[in-house]
């Protein structure tokens, strides 16, 4: 018989970014370290996680089914749509290191002018990678996903209109972790393993 307590409904969530190589929390209820910064509001669409696999099948003479089925590559992606415009999201969307951005301070005299950030884009050599932390929260339960090294592999069109905020749709791909560590780790509260 099913148990409705096992149904996950992601009613809220957060995304955090840190430099690659940062240390992740050791449990789903432990606070994120000081390296991790909150990436801001996410649209109600929430998180879309996908796992794609490329496989190779080996046949044998006289056999009508493959004798070996090997996974060649697994690609994990995480899609989020962010509402806020921040330096970090601009860096990820346009693939520009924040160190390559310039901030011009506001002035009040002689002619008032607002602060602004400026940067150029277009170089494929300037890639931005982060450690990505994700929390999906549902009725007091938590699914924490930690991606040791992630890059933006796809971007939605950036729309500027009076109908909605200028949102940043980013799809992150999990990359090989530094030092051979696990590229993606999951913590999910209140899921028990069967007794052997």
């Amino acid at each position: 018989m099913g148990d409705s307590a096992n149904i996950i409904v992601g009613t809220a969530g957060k995304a955090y970014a840190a430099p690659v190589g940062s240390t992740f929390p050791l449990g789903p209820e432990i606070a994120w370290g000081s390296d991790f910064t909150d990436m801001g509001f996410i649209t109600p669409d929430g998180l879309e996680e996908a796992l794609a696999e490329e496989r190779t099948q080996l046949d044998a003479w006289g056999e009508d089914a493959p004798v070996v089925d090997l996974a060649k590559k697994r690609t994990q992606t995480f899609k989020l749509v962010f509402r806020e415009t921040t330096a970090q999201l601009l860096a990820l969307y346009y693939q520009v290191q924040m160190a390559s951005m310039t901030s011009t301070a506001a002035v009040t005299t002689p002619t008032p002018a607002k602060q602004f950030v400026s940067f150029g884009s277009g170089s494929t050599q300037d890639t931005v990678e982060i450690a990505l932390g994700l929390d999906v929260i549902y009725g007091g339960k938590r699914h924490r996903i930690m991606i040791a090294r992630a890059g933006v592999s796809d971007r939605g069109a950036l729309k500027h209109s009076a109908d909605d905020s200028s949102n940043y749709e980013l799809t992150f791909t999990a990359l090989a972790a530094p030092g051979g560590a696990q590229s993606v780790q999951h913590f999910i509260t209140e899921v028990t393993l069967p007794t052997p």
Side-chain angles (χ1 to χ4, degrees):
M1 164 135 345
D3 185 349
S4 62
N6 294 330
I7 297 173
I8 295 175
V9 179
T11 54
K14 287 284 188 180
Y16 301 88
V20 173
S22 296
T23 302
F24 285 103
L26 297 177
E29 305 293 330
I30 298 173
W32 293 92
S34 59
D35 285 356
F36 289 86
T37 57
D38 188 333
M39 296 177 73
F41 290 121
I42 298 167
T43 63
D45 298 330
L47 168 66
E48 184 178 313
E49 178 184 358
L51 178 58
E53 212 171 48
E54 288 183 25
R55 303 191 70 84
T56 296
Q57 294 181 337
L58 303 179
D59 299 324
W61 192 10
E63 298 295 331
D64 61 359
V67 293
V68 175
D69 186 16
L70 298 171
K72 284 176 58 178
K73 182 172 76 170
R74 289 188 181 100
T75 304
Q76 286 182 266
T77 58
F78 305 87
K79 178 179 166 184
L80 295 154
V81 182
F82 297 94
R83 285 221 185 266
E84 298 183 44
T85 297
T86 63
Q88 183 172 66
L89 287 169
L90 290 170
L92 288 165
Y93 189 85
Y94 290 105
Q95 283 296 288
V96 177
Q97 297 288 341
M98 280 193 272
S100 300
M101 296 180 172
T102 302
S103 179
T104 301
V107 295
T108 54
T109 59
T111 304
K114 293 184 176 183
Q115 177 274 341
F116 65 92
V117 66
S118 57
F119 57 90
S121 62
S123 171
T124 56
Q125 304 304 312
D126 200 11
T127 59
V128 179
E129 294 177 356
I130 60 171
L132 180 63
L134 303 169
D135 277 338
V136 179
I137 303 160
Y138 47 100
K141 299 182 182 181
R142 187 178 301 265
H143 182 175
R144 177 164 285 177
I145 307 168
M146 297 156 290
I147 302 103
R149 181 172 157 244
V152 176
S153 54
D154 195 23
R155 297 160 181 78
L158 187 57
K159 183 179 178 183
H160 303 286
S161 77
D163 298 329
D164 197 1
S165 55
S166 296
N167 299 327
Y168 298 86
E169 180 185 306
L170 302 177
T171 300
F172 297 91
T173 294
L175 305 172
Q182 292 178 323
S183 58
V184 180
Q185 295 182 62
H186 295 263
F187 293 147
I188 307 176
T189 61
E190 299 184 14
V191 175
T192 57
L193 291 175
T195 305

